[in-house]
Amino acid sequence: MVKAKSWVMTKHFEGFPKKSDFGLKVEELPEPKDGEVLLEAVFLSVDPYMRLFSKIHMKEGGVMIGEQVAKVIQSKNTAFPVGSHVVSNSGWRTHTLSDGTGLTPILPEWPKDVSLSLALGAIGMPGLTAVYGIEEVLGLQKGETLLVNAAAGAVGSVVGQIAKIKGCKVVGSAGSDAKVAYLKELGFDEAFNYKTVGSLEEALRKASPEGYDCFFENVGGPSSYVVLQQMKKFGRIAVCGSISTYNDSEPQTGPYPYSTMIMKQLKMEGFIFSRWQHKDHETLKRLLAWVKEGKLQCREHVTKGFENMPAAFMGMLQGENTGKAVVAV
């Protein structure tokens, strides 16, 4: 019998999450039955979408949702031998019994000198999101100009680097001078701290006087309206996230960009990466190849200890992380 710990949402978040909204639960798991495996978490992910999805897909008392990289420690399923590693949507748990459904084995060609935690970041869901947003939604072309906000985060930092690989001009917005410096290290053509610029409109115009062909949207809120004014005619917007609104107690209203969208003939599309899951295996191989070739740099913000899951989650929502936020068990 294995003692499994899990973090549950004791009550729905009201505004920004609080420590008291989480509870630690302990239970004993039985031995795996035929076809089952016992997983032990190695790395766990904390992501902005968890705040949004908690309103929609979770009930009070439920285990917090999320991905993890886990090691198979017992197996009665030949597809998942003991000692192998998988990516699993097991949520915030130290141990999980699984029948194998939904488990994604780590790529067999994964280098020994690359941390498995990247399967939760640049070579995982955030990387897939970046690729599909750029290729499937925006249709980004060589020579175009792309703007990405929350650019030093798990998705934004990959978006910018892939756009550079594709031969584009990339402008990034981030929330600290240290993050702006990081974007410059990654090869962004222009980057600015949206918290310290006197005018977002002027900062955008200075970074790209000719405007923007594509906008990869992670933030939402009033700043998006400012960006739309500087899109080129027939510009495209991929709406990936709206982190500035996730903790609002009351929904934000206006300004409404329809006139701008009509006059500029803009295309705006929301998306979730799972729409293209049939392409995941080949896309993950492409991302891994870019990492091995040095074309895709990966920075992580690692919190140690399963007991610190809520703190890591809240810190990520406050923008404490540069790159992907993960928890190492």
Side-chain angles (χ1 to χ4, degrees), residues 188-210:
F188 281 56
D189 297 282
E190 301 287 343
F192 60 87
N193 181 349
Y194 72 88
K195 292 181 180 178
T196 57
V197 293
S199 162
L200 177 58
E201 181 180 358
E202 290 177 10
L204 289 168
R205 188 173 289 115
K206 180 181 178 183
S208 183
E210 70 280 7

Side-chain angles (χ1 to χ4, degrees), residues 258-276:
Y258 307 120
S259 295
T260 300
M261 293 185 69
I262 293 166
M263 297 309 295
K264 290 179 178 282
Q265 300 184 66
L266 304 178
K267 176 184 176 183
M268 178 184 284
E269 181 178 346
F271 75 99
I272 298 173
F273 81 103
S274 55
R275 192 196 311 179
W276 300 278

Side-chain angles (χ1 to χ4, degrees), residues 268-321:
M268 178 184 284
E269 181 178 346
F271 75 99
I272 298 173
F273 81 103
S274 55
R275 192 196 311 179
W276 300 278
Q277 63 182 358
H278 59 286
K279 297 186 176 184
D280 282 0
H281 184 71
E282 290 305 314
T283 306
L284 290 171
K285 290 173 71 172
R286 289 168 60 200
L287 289 161
L288 178 58
W290 281 332
V291 169
K292 289 163 71 173
E293 293 164 11
K295 294 178 179 178
L296 185 57
Q297 304 295 319
C298 310
R299 183 176 294 188
E300 295 178 302
H301 183 93
V302 181
T303 301
K304 293 186 177 181
F306 182 77
E307 68 276 10
N308 294 318
M309 288 292 299
F313 177 60
M314 292 185 285
M316 176 273 303
L317 289 176
Q318 291 175 317
E320 292 178 359
N321 58 301

Side-chain angles (χ1 to χ4, degrees), residues 135-146:
E135 296 183 351
E136 305 292 340
V137 180
L138 293 175
L140 185 67
Q141 301 298 310
K142 182 178 180 179
E144 291 190 315
T145 300
L146 171 112

Side-chain angles (χ1 to χ4, degrees), residues 6-13 16-25 46 50-51 54 58 61-65 92 307-315 317:
S6 59
W7 281 103
V8 300
M9 181 182 71
T10 56
K11 60 179 291 189
H12 278 289
F13 308 125
F16 194 86
K18 305 180 294 294
K19 189 175 180 180
S20 58
D21 294 331
F22 303 92
L24 188 61
K25 180 180 172 183
V46 287
M50 296 173 179
R51 176 63 182 87
S54 70
M58 289 190 62
V63 176
M64 280 294 296
I65 56 176
W92 295 11
E307 68 276 10
N308 294 318
M309 288 292 299
F313 177 60
M314 292 185 285
L317 289 176

Side-chain angles (χ1 to χ4, degrees), residues 26-316:
V26 181
E27 61 181 331
E28 287 193 345
L29 297 180
E31 295 291 312
K33 299 175 183 176
D34 285 344
E36 291 185 333
V37 295
L38 178 62
L39 305 175
E40 183 175 71
V42 181
F43 296 103
L44 297 104
S45 184
V46 287
D47 299 282
Y49 79 84
M50 296 173 179
R51 176 63 182 87
L52 174 64
F53 280 38
S54 70
K55 302 177 188 177
I56 304 166
H57 298 300
M58 289 190 62
K59 295 180 180 179
E60 292 183 349
V63 176
M64 280 294 296
I65 56 176
E67 283 191 326
Q68 59 174 255
V69 173
K71 183 177 182 179
V72 178
I73 58 172
Q74 292 183 44
S75 178
K76 291 187 178 178
N77 185 325
T78 55
F80 304 99
V82 171
S84 62
H85 289 85
V86 298
V87 176
S88 166
N89 276 303
S90 299
W92 295 11
R93 306 174 189 266
T94 57
H95 297 82
T96 307
L97 269 179
S98 169
D99 64 2
T101 303
L103 300 185
T104 303
I106 295 294
L107 292 170
E109 62 266 42
W110 195 284
K112 286 186 167 54
D113 60 346
V114 174
S115 174
L116 291 175
S117 58
L118 294 192
L120 301 175
I123 317 174
M125 181 273 288
L128 294 170
T129 301
V131 170
Y132 299 147
I134 286 174
E135 296 183 351
E136 305 292 340
V137 180
L138 293 175
L140 185 67
Q141 301 298 310
K142 182 178 180 179
E144 291 190 315
T145 300
L146 171 112
L147 171 69
V148 56
N149 52 17
V155 174
S157 58
V158 179
V159 167
Q161 292 181 83
I162 293 175
K164 291 306 298 178
I165 291 170
K166 291 181 176 291
C168 297
K169 176 178 177 179
V170 180
V171 178
S173 167
S176 73
D177 291 344
K179 290 181 178 181
V180 169
Y182 173 57
L183 298 182
K184 288 291 192 178
E185 289 177 25
L186 295 180
F188 281 56
D189 297 282
E190 301 287 343
F192 60 87
N193 181 349
Y194 72 88
K195 292 181 180 178
T196 57
V197 293
S199 162
L200 177 58
E201 181 180 358
E202 290 177 10
L204 289 168
R205 188 173 289 115
K206 180 181 178 183
S208 183
E210 70 280 7
Y212 299 89
D213 299 286
C214 292
F215 173 32
F216 198 108
E217 165 71 290
N218 291 309
V219 175
S223 64
S224 298
Y225 181 77
V226 179
V227 174
L228 293 192
Q229 311 308 309
Q230 298 195 37
M231 295 297 293
K232 294 181 183 179
K233 197 172 183 180
F234 305 113
R236 293 96 70 199
I237 301 105
V239 183
C240 173
S242 181
I243 193 171
S244 72
T245 68
Y246 291 166
N247 294 303
D248 291 347
S249 298
E250 296 292 330
Q252 294 184 24
T253 59
Y256 302 104
Y258 307 120
S259 295
T260 300
M261 293 185 69
I262 293 166
M263 297 309 295
K264 290 179 178 282
Q265 300 184 66
L266 304 178
K267 176 184 176 183
M268 178 184 284
E269 181 178 346
F271 75 99
I272 298 173
F273 81 103
S274 55
R275 192 196 311 179
W276 300 278
Q277 63 182 358
H278 59 286
K279 297 186 176 184
D280 282 0
H281 184 71
E282 290 305 314
T283 306
L284 290 171
K285 290 173 71 172
R286 289 168 60 200
L287 289 161
L288 178 58
W290 281 332
V291 169
K292 289 163 71 173
E293 293 164 11
K295 294 178 179 178
L296 185 57
Q297 304 295 319
C298 310
R299 183 176 294 188
E300 295 178 302
H301 183 93
V302 181
T303 301
K304 293 186 177 181
F306 182 77
E307 68 276 10
N308 294 318
M309 288 292 299
F313 177 60
M314 292 185 285
M316 176 273 303

